[in-house]
Amino acid sequence: MIGSRIKYRHLQTFVEVARQRSVVKAADSLHISQPAVTKTIRELEDVLKVELFERDGRGIRITKPGEVFLRHATASLTALRQGIDSVSQEQLESVPPVRIGALPTVSTRIMPRAMELFLAEGTRSRIKIVTGENAVLLEQLRTGDLDLVVGRLAPPEKMTGFSFEHLYSEQVLFIVRADHPLLTERGPIFASLGDYPVLMPTRGSIIRPVVEQFLIANGSGPLTTQVETVSDSFGRAFVRSSDAIWIISSGVVAGDIEDGVLAPLPIDTTETRGPVGLTLRTDATPSLPMSILMQNIRQAAAEIS
């Protein structure tokens, strides 16, 4: 049968020669030699018992039978590619998705490196990364909308039904622009905090109680102008363009400090250190892609520790 003698390479080569109107250009496009293109076209012509191309000066042009066959060859290749894509999509959808909740500090410092490692594994998993307040992420983890939360350890009353794996510890910093007046302040810094706008973590954030306790313990006066935010992009832009003080986890601004754009006030915040790690539901068994990503997160965390 004629159909069984025509191969994919015959159709692919024929369509490319017809498109390029040149054996030389078709060979370059297909990354094969010119003799290989010529041989393949001749094989196809032998099977079909017709000439598909004829010389036209220094080039070639497609014949009438070639034009008829081109319509069907093009349709066949298109149908084949669509079939391959459909199978690939079905395989992709059968791979368990990876749904991660990450606090801003983790999204900035850990997840980019972890995702780089994960994508190199080639699992082809669909990936979803959500950043937000800890309480919101834990609720999504509890309801099954997320499979893993990466961030600070929640209070004991919030950890019912969850397990936690410690990765590293992180403290809160008081961040200002590199030429802020308080960086050269000789008097007590806590007494001067109320003279400037202060960006505070929101009341639902995991570090808000830690910050409030720290301020009280160090005798800070009333903070006249407070702006509550968990947006690292807003915080970074506002602090760089004003005299505001940003109270934020160190991981969020580590790169800005290294670049010399932002600077921490000379305040010992060691007592604000808290564990950062992986929070999972105790009744959940991680899929293979999730297990791979968790290992990637561990590696990324080890690199910065």
Side-chain angles (χ1 to χ4, degrees):
M1 296 177 62
I2 290 180
S4 64
R5 296 167 59 190
I6 297 179
K7 310 299 182 184
Y8 174 79
R9 63 181 176 87
H10 291 127
L11 299 180
Q12 183 185 37
T13 303
F14 166 69
V15 170
E16 190 62 22
V17 173
R19 187 177 73 87
Q20 298 283 1
R21 295 292 193 269
S22 167
V23 171
V24 175
K25 292 180 179 179
D28 289 341
S29 177
L30 296 170
H31 305 291
I32 58 178
S33 67
Q34 296 176 37
V37 171
T38 300
K39 179 182 178 182
T40 301
I41 294 300
R42 286 176 178 171
E43 289 177 357
L44 183 58
E45 289 177 332
D46 288 342
V47 171
L48 297 174
K49 306 300 183 184
V50 296
E51 287 191 357
L52 298 172
F53 300 99
E54 59 187 10
R55 292 191 176 278
D56 182 22
R58 294 185 177 181
I60 60 173
R61 65 181 176 186
I62 193 167
T63 62
K64 289 294 184 179
E67 290 178 354
V68 173
F69 186 67
L70 179 61
R71 292 195 296 271
H72 298 285
T74 302
S76 298
L77 288 178
T78 299
L80 182 58
R81 292 190 184 108
Q82 289 175 344
I84 293 173
D85 290 343
S86 297
V87 171
S88 298
Q89 183 63 30
E90 183 175 343
Q91 290 177 334
L92 182 61
E93 292 177 353
S94 68
V95 177
V98 174
R99 303 171 300 177
I100 307 297
L103 294 186
T105 176
V106 175
S107 296
T108 302
R109 199 175 187 193
I110 301 297
M111 290 309 297
R113 174 58 176 159
M115 289 308 305
E116 178 184 346
L117 295 170
F118 181 69
L119 293 176
E121 300 282 355
T123 66
R124 302 182 69 191
S125 296
R126 289 171 289 134
I127 304 164
K128 174 184 178 181
I129 300 177
V130 178
T131 297
E133 294 182 347
N134 192 69
V136 175
L137 297 181
L138 288 181
E139 183 59 27
Q140 292 183 27
L141 178 63
R142 192 179 302 279
T143 59
D145 292 327
L146 293 176
D147 304 303
L148 172 70
V149 171
V150 192
R152 279 208 175 205
L153 174 62
E157 64 272 16
K158 302 291 186 181
M159 288 299 293
T160 303
F162 296 136
S163 64
F164 181 81
E165 177 186 336
H166 179 269
L167 296 177
Y168 63 96
S169 294
E170 179 176 75
Q171 66 195 69
V172 172
L173 297 177
F174 288 62
I175 296 298
V176 294
R177 56 184 170 82
D179 57 349
H180 195 280
L182 279 181
L183 291 173
T184 56
E185 179 76 33
R186 293 184 179 274
I189 291 180
F190 283 101
S192 302
L193 293 182
D195 298 334
Y196 302 93
V198 177
L199 301 188
M200 287 280 287
T202 61
R203 296 188 184 278
S205 67
I206 192 72
I207 65 171
R208 177 62 179 251
V210 175
V211 170
E212 290 179 335
Q213 291 173 11
F214 181 76
L215 290 171
I216 293 171
N218 286 275
S220 172
L223 302 180
T224 306
T225 305
Q226 291 188 36
V227 178
E228 295 188 2
T229 181
V230 292
S231 171
D232 55 306
S233 56
F234 167 74
R236 184 173 289 107
F238 188 61
V239 169
R240 290 180 64 175
S241 62
S242 70
D243 285 339
I245 301 167
W246 188 14
I247 305 178
I248 190 67
S249 295
S250 59
V252 175
V253 291
D256 303 279
I257 294 173
E258 291 174 2
D259 294 339
V261 176
L262 302 178
L265 291 177
I267 298 174
D268 183 2
T269 59
T270 305
E271 63 187 87
T272 67
R273 289 177 66 85
V276 176
L278 310 176
T279 299
L280 289 162
R281 293 192 309 277
T282 53
D283 62 350
T285 301
S287 64
L288 178 58
M290 178 59 68
S291 298
I292 293 173
L293 178 56
M294 289 171 62
Q295 184 57 40
N296 297 147
I297 294 172
R298 295 185 188 103
Q299 181 177 336
E303 292 177 3
I304 68 161
S305 301

